[in-house]
């Protein structure tokens, strides 16, 4: 009997598959090798290691390479099997890995920075290696000649980097809380705009080139989604972490955002629901602004969001409580006239009105505005929030170790995390999760379900899926690296 795929994705508890130990210092980066049971790690102990899974189920290092300086960042390109490692001394080193992942050859060293390298991206089409560092610099170098092509200096340490390979636009986050959009050329670059919204240093970025969405996580424990493709300055603020957001990954097929924080928290945000857009004054001293983007070839097409948005109310300013009309402490005239002491001003997160502490004594979660934990709301808004409005739109899990870096293999539904506790964990999800996909007409192949994704299993199409059809799950053989589950396949019902 076929089971219908549900339209709303559900998140299952991550299951620990393997724990890799052996580094003598903090692990700064860990990457899964696509189509292989392997992990590449870089550590502050100055080592690069390639771990392969043996028949016993344990990971053992097949490559152990010692660097001259602590490793601070890493990028891996699987098609060319090239590894780029950023170091604490500012250099970027390139290696080539053999086909059996048992040997690694040194290629060249790039003098990219004068200080610690924070992020690296390699573009095969242009043969560029792009990097950011603590020398407040973004550099891009040619991998053919090893020459420096260009540099851009900012006012703060550059902490993270994302790159659009088709249009050569780079997003650079820095420690001041800003994100700079750059257009990179062969020997120069131009600043397109600056995105301002975070109150702390930007720790991670994720760029989705399909929907033109940029996600940023920062030390203020928040995540902001920037709708770059919509060209209307729309943003969403997501608050659910209790510590610095360290890594992000957006799953485009399931419309879910996976985020990790330094306290070990792992959150899966459902982005396929209706949410309320944050206004430009949604928090004190919080200004969200990027309406002045110069849309060039990268953003000439308008991409619709997968959810509908409503404009959230802005925070209002008043000299007295907008509920009980009691004066705030700076309203000297009303305090003198009424012979009362001034009160402290607060804001209701739902309606945005300026209220006193007595009129906003209650707390409530409000996930449609991104507040997954209890926040201040006025008494009237608290009574208007229904129980279904408090239903969480994200699921939270405990990674049980400090997380400083996370990467995912979407095809296999695997995630690897690492941190300052010197431990690398490989996890997957307990049960396959699916969703009803609304998209353009496409050909459906035999498929298998990995985590939350339906992926082609062979190249022979069994049906053509058009909008309006529903997908159903039946039996099919699973690949060898998946957990034992009932056999299932994918077919189409009209």
């Amino acid at each position: 009997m076929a089971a219908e795929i549900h339209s709303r994705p559900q998140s299952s508890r991550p299951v620990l598959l393997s724990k890799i130990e052996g580094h003598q210092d903090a692990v700064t980066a860990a990457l899964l090798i696509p189509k292989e049971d392997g992990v590449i790690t870089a550590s502050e102990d100055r080592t690069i290691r390639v771990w392969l899974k043996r028949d016993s189920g344990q990971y053992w290092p097949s490559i152990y390479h010692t660097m001259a300086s602590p490793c601070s960042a890493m990028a891996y390109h699987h098609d060319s099997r090239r590894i780029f490692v950023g170091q604490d001394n500012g250099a970027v080193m390139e290696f080539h890995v053999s086909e059996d992942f048992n040997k690694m050859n040194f290629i060249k060293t790039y003098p990219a920075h004068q200080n610690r390298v924070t992020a690296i991206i390699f573009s095969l089409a242009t043969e560029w290696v792009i990097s950011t560092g603590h020398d407040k610099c973004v550099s891009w170098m040619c991998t053919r000649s090893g020459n420096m092509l260009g540099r851009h200096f900012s006012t703060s340490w550059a902490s993270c980097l994302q790159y659009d390979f088709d249009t050569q636009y780079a997003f650079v986050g820095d420690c001041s809380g800003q994100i700079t959009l750059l257009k990179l050329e062969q020997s120069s670059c131009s600043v397109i705009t600056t995105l301002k919204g975070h109150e702390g240093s930007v720790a991670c970025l994720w760029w989705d080139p399909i929907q033109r969405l940029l996600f940023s996580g920062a030390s203020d424990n928040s995540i902001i989604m920037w709708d770059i493709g919509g060209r209307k300055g729309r943003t969403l603020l997501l608050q659910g972490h209790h510590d610095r957001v360290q890594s992000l990954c957006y799953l485009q097929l399931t419309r879910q955002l996976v985020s990790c924080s330094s306290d070990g928290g792992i959150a899966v945000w459902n982005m396929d629901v209706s949410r309320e857009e944050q206004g430009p004054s949604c928090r004190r001293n919080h200004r969200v602004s990027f309406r002045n983007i110069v849309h060039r070839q990268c953003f000439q097409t308008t991409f619709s969001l997968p959810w509908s948005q409503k404009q959230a109310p802005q925070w209002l300013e008043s000299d007295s409580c907008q509920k009980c009309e009691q004066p705030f402490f700076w309203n000297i005239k009303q305090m003198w006239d009424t012979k009362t002491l001034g009160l402290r001003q607060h804001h209701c997160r739902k309606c945005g009105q300026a209220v006193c502490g007595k009129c906003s004594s209650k707390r409530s979660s409000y996930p449609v505005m991104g507040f997954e934990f209890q926040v201040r709301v006025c008494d009237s808004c608290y009574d208007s929030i229904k129980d279904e409005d408090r239903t969480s739109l994200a699921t939270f899990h405990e990674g049980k170790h400090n997380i400083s870096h996370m990467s995912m293999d979407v095809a296999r539904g695997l995630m690897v995390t690492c941190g300052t506790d010197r431990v690398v964990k490989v996890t997957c999800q307990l049960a396959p999760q699916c969703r009803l996909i609304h998209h353009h007409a496409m050909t459906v192949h035999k498929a298998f379900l990995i985590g939350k994704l339906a992926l082609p299993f062979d190249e022979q199409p069994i049906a053509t899926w058009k909008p309006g059809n529903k997908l159903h799950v039946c039996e099919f053989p699973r690949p060898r690296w998946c957990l034992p589950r009932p056999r299932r396949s994918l077919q189409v019902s009209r």
Side-chain angles (χ1 to χ4, degrees):
M1 180 176 178
E4 183 177 348
I5 297 178
H6 298 288
S7 60
R8 179 176 178 177
Q10 304 292 327
S11 179
S12 57
R13 178 178 61 86
V15 177
L16 179 63
L17 297 181
S18 298
K19 182 187 293 186
I20 303 175
E21 297 176 314
H23 283 286
Q24 303 302 315
D25 208 334
V27 183
T28 55
L31 303 174
L32 290 162
I33 303 176
K35 303 177 183 179
E36 295 287 342
D37 288 328
V39 179
I40 307 174
T41 59
S43 173
E44 295 277 1
D45 62 5
R46 301 188 304 167
T47 62
I48 301 294
R49 310 187 192 191
V50 178
W51 308 78
L52 296 181
K53 193 173 184 179
R54 305 304 182 185
D55 295 336
S56 61
Q58 300 295 321
Y59 284 87
W60 292 89
S62 62
I63 296 177
Y64 185 106
H65 183 82
T66 303
M67 311 284 285
S69 180
C71 306
S72 57
M74 181 175 61
Y76 172 66
H77 189 266
H78 182 65
D79 292 339
S80 60
R81 298 194 304 279
R82 297 157 81 175
I83 300 177
F84 297 86
V85 182
Q87 300 180 84
D88 206 44
N89 59 8
V92 176
M93 300 186 69
E94 179 185 354
F95 299 90
H96 182 268
V97 185
S98 61
E99 189 174 356
D100 58 0
F101 294 95
N102 286 318
K103 186 178 180 181
M104 186 170 69
N105 297 319
F106 169 75
I107 303 299
K108 65 181 64 172
T109 300
Y110 303 92
H113 299 275
Q114 302 297 322
N115 209 327
R116 181 183 179 92
V117 180
T118 56
I120 303 174
I121 290 180
F122 170 65
S123 174
L124 181 63
T126 57
E127 287 290 342
W128 290 356
V129 54
I130 311 165
S131 59
T132 58
H134 279 181
D135 57 355
K136 306 179 182 180
C137 171
V138 181
S139 67
W140 54 105
M141 304 187 67
C142 178
T143 57
R144 295 190 183 95
S145 62
N147 296 330
M148 177 72 69
L149 297 178
R151 281 183 175 179
H152 172 77
F153 289 91
S154 60
T155 58
S156 300
W157 285 358
S159 54
C160 49
L161 173 69
Q162 282 290 284
Y163 182 69
D164 188 88
F165 294 92
D166 294 334
T167 58
Q168 300 179 9
Y169 280 79
F171 298 90
V172 182
D174 59 38
C175 291
S176 68
Q178 298 183 3
I179 303 171
T180 305
L181 175 58
L182 302 174
K183 170 63 176 177
L184 303 185
E185 303 290 349
Q186 185 66 29
S187 59
S188 63
C189 74
S190 56
V191 178
I192 304 301
T193 190
T194 300
L195 314 182
K196 301 179 181 180
H198 286 289
E199 294 179 344
S201 61
V202 181
C204 54
L205 293 172
W206 184 270
W207 168 247
D208 177 34
I210 305 299
Q211 294 179 279
R212 306 294 188 189
L213 300 178
L214 178 68
F215 298 89
S216 60
S219 60
D220 58 4
N221 310 343
S222 68
I223 301 169
I224 296 180
M225 186 220 76
W226 312 81
D227 179 18
I228 304 297
R231 301 189 296 175
K232 295 182 179 179
R234 294 183 295 186
T235 61
L236 287 179
L237 177 66
L238 304 176
Q239 291 183 315
H241 287 286
H242 299 284
D243 209 336
R244 176 188 179 96
V245 181
Q246 295 282 53
S247 293
L248 296 170
C249 181
Y250 180 63
L251 309 180
Q252 203 278 331
L253 287 179
T254 58
R255 307 287 167 81
Q256 290 177 305
L257 176 68
V258 181
S259 59
C260 296
S261 59
S262 58
D263 61 355
I266 302 174
V268 182
W269 306 82
N270 183 8
M271 306 302 294
D272 200 17
V273 295
S274 176
R275 293 180 180 270
E276 292 186 9
E277 175 192 356
Q278 295 292 348
S281 299
C282 55
R283 292 188 294 175
R284 189 181 303 275
N285 300 326
H286 178 90
R287 302 292 298 177
V288 177
S289 174
F290 69 107
R291 295 177 182 271
N292 59 335
I293 290 182
V294 180
H295 295 278
R296 301 185 181 180
Q297 58 179 351
C298 179
F299 309 124
Q300 289 180 352
T301 304
T302 300
F303 293 83
S304 60
L305 290 177
W307 58 87
S308 60
Q309 287 191 11
K310 300 178 182 178
Q311 176 68 46
Q314 300 182 12
W315 280 16
L316 304 178
E317 297 297 334
S318 176
D319 293 330
S320 59
C321 177
Q322 295 180 307
K323 296 294 183 180
C324 64
E325 299 183 353
Q326 290 294 315
F328 294 130
F329 63 85
W330 61 82
N331 192 351
I332 306 298
K333 183 179 185 304
Q334 187 176 353
M335 289 168 55
W336 177 265
D337 294 340
T338 59
K339 302 298 187 293
T340 58
L341 292 176
L343 304 176
R344 182 182 177 184
Q345 176 183 260
H346 301 281
H347 283 91
C348 173
R349 267 54 173 183
K350 186 177 185 297
C351 66
Q353 288 187 329
V355 292
C356 63
K358 185 179 296 184
C359 296
S360 59
S361 59
K362 298 180 179 179
R363 304 290 186 271
S364 175
S365 60
Y366 199 52
V368 294
M369 285 185 63
F371 300 116
E372 293 289 341
F373 49 80
Q374 303 286 317
V375 293
R376 182 186 295 272
V377 293
C378 64
D379 295 345
S380 59
C381 286
Y382 181 86
D383 297 334
S384 66
I385 299 177
K386 302 177 182 179
D387 292 338
E388 53 266 27
D389 295 334
R390 295 185 175 93
T391 303
S392 178
L393 299 179
T395 56
F396 298 90
H397 312 281
E398 181 57 50
K400 296 183 180 180
H401 78 131
N402 173 274
I403 298 177
S404 61
H405 183 268
M406 175 268 294
S407 65
M408 296 188 67
D409 188 335
V410 179
R412 294 183 287 175
L414 299 178
M415 178 174 66
V416 60
T417 57
C418 61
T420 57
D421 56 0
R422 311 174 187 177
V423 176
V424 179
K425 291 186 177 182
V426 181
T427 60
C428 77
Q429 293 177 345
L430 182 62
Q433 304 292 342
C434 319
R435 63 186 297 275
L436 177 63
I437 306 175
H438 300 279
H439 207 275
H440 302 288
M442 60 177 292
T443 300
V444 175
H445 300 259
K446 291 181 181 178
F448 52 88
L449 302 179
I450 303 301
K452 298 186 180 180
L453 305 177
L455 302 174
F457 193 68
D458 59 20
E459 297 182 356
Q460 298 298 324
I462 59 174
T464 300
W465 172 45
K466 296 181 180 179
N469 293 344
K470 294 184 178 180
L471 298 180
H472 289 260
V473 182
C474 297
E475 294 191 353
F476 78 93
R478 299 186 64 83
R480 60 178 177 83
W481 35 260
C482 294
L483 292 177
R485 299 189 184 108
R487 299 193 168 197
R488 306 184 174 206
S489 66
L490 195 70
Q491 68 181 23
V492 177
S493 66
R494 300 185 181 276

